[in-house]
Amino acid sequence: QMQLQESGPGLVKPSETLSLRCSVSGESIITGDYFWSWLRQYPGRGLEWIGYIYSSGTSYTNPSLTNRLSILVDTSANQFSLRLKSVTVADTAVYYCARVNIYYGDAFDLWGPGTMVFVST
Amino acid sequence: QSVLTQPPSVSAAPGQTVSISCSGVNSNSETDFDVHWYQQHPGKAPRLVIYDDNIRPSWVPDRISASTSGTSASLVISGLQPEDEAVYFCQSYDSHVGNKVFGGGTKLTVL
């Protein structure tokens, strides 16, 4: 049974780069059935899609974040990652990695538990 | 501000039926994009409960159903149970901005 697990620093300083990793276990990330996605949830409840990547390396990102965002995949390690540059306090959120299932209309059908990231001095 | 609009909260007693609305679906498109619904308990990640407008994944009881009509979607939970108390989010795609979008979430309280 596939599981996802986020990892990364809980605290990042303003203007620095946030790097998070999502480890996929239970099944290979190299499957044609899924995309691999990042989302975040602000303290007030709102959810925001950040972007997703296919195992080939093709990625799609939220237009509002594209100029600061990189999403990469490491198939040898069965992981994918997020790099968000020049963070501000507005990037404080719980960050989730999730699986996008193409047979479920591209819904997010499996989520990691999430990791809280604070942007603060 | 969410592109999709949901009521902040709804409540009902155990055993009753509740409906949660989501408006603004496909409002910027001539193409009908799928609506998905997620359930989130406190401190937990969201969990998919409906995909493709009205299809339940295998792990979701048939007390949960959904539908779409025009630019609105609805999630219906019948025979309410205490474990249904959670926040529910709708999600779709906004072709105008090229982005997957979520509603602001509705807190369901089982009285």
Side-chain angles (χ1 to χ4, degrees):
Chain A
Q1 184 176 353
M2 183 180 286
Q3 293 184 318
L4 308 179
Q5 179 67 56
E6 306 87 352
S7 60
L11 179 65
V12 184
K13 291 183 169 57
S15 80
E16 293 188 342
T17 296
L18 168 64
S19 295
L20 296 174
R21 183 175 59 202
C22 182
S23 299
V24 180
S25 61
E27 189 175 334
S28 173
I29 200 171
I30 306 175
T31 167
D33 299 339
Y34 308 122
F35 285 78
W36 307 98
S37 187
W38 288 99
L39 305 97
R40 62 185 178 182
Q41 186 167 30
Y42 298 107
R45 182 195 290 181
L47 278 164
E48 180 179 46
W49 172 69
I50 294 172
Y52 55 62
I53 192 165
Y54 195 58
S55 58
S56 65
T58 300
S59 64
Y60 303 86
T61 56
N62 185 323
S64 69
L65 297 170
T66 297
N67 62 346
R68 296 195 292 137
L69 179 66
S70 298
I71 299 178
L72 302 172
V73 63
D74 183 347
T75 55
S76 63
N78 227 38
Q79 296 173 346
F80 61 104
S81 61
L82 169 154
R83 284 175 55 86
L84 185 65
K85 299 186 299 185
S86 305
V87 297
T88 71
V89 294
D91 294 309
T92 292
V94 176
Y95 285 75
Y96 294 100
C97 60
R99 187 177 76 182
V100 178
N101 192 324
I102 66 172
Y103 296 115
Y104 283 12
D106 288 356
F108 305 104
D109 75 328
L110 181 67
W111 297 62
T115 185
M116 182 70 213
V117 174
F118 290 96
V119 179
S120 175
T121 56
Chain B
Q1 186 171 358
S2 301
V3 173
L4 304 180
T5 302
Q6 298 181 239
S9 63
V10 296
S11 62
Q16 291 191 330
T17 296
V18 69
S19 176
I20 297 173
S21 62
C22 173
S23 63
V25 174
N26 295 315
S27 59
N28 292 322
S29 174
E30 295 181 354
T31 302
D32 286 341
F33 292 100
D34 295 323
V35 178
H36 315 300
W37 291 89
Y38 303 86
Q39 175 193 65
Q40 186 177 34
H41 289 110
K44 302 292 188 181
R47 181 180 78 135
L48 180 68
V49 292
I50 292 286
Y51 67 94
D52 283 1
D53 295 344
N54 56 17
I55 302 177
R56 279 186 307 275
S58 59
W59 56 83
V60 176
D62 59 7
R63 303 185 294 104
I64 296 178
S65 62
S67 62
T68 60
S69 178
T71 59
S72 292
S74 295
L75 180 75
V76 176
I77 307 174
S78 60
L80 274 173
Q81 299 183 5
E83 58 264 32
D84 296 326
E85 185 161 295
V87 177
Y88 293 83
F89 295 91
C90 59
Q91 180 250 312
S92 188
Y93 181 80
D94 187 335
S95 60
H96 183 66
V97 295
N99 202 0
K100 292 182 181 293
V101 291
F102 288 86
T106 299
K107 173 74 165 73
L108 168 61
T109 300
V110 180
L111 301 171

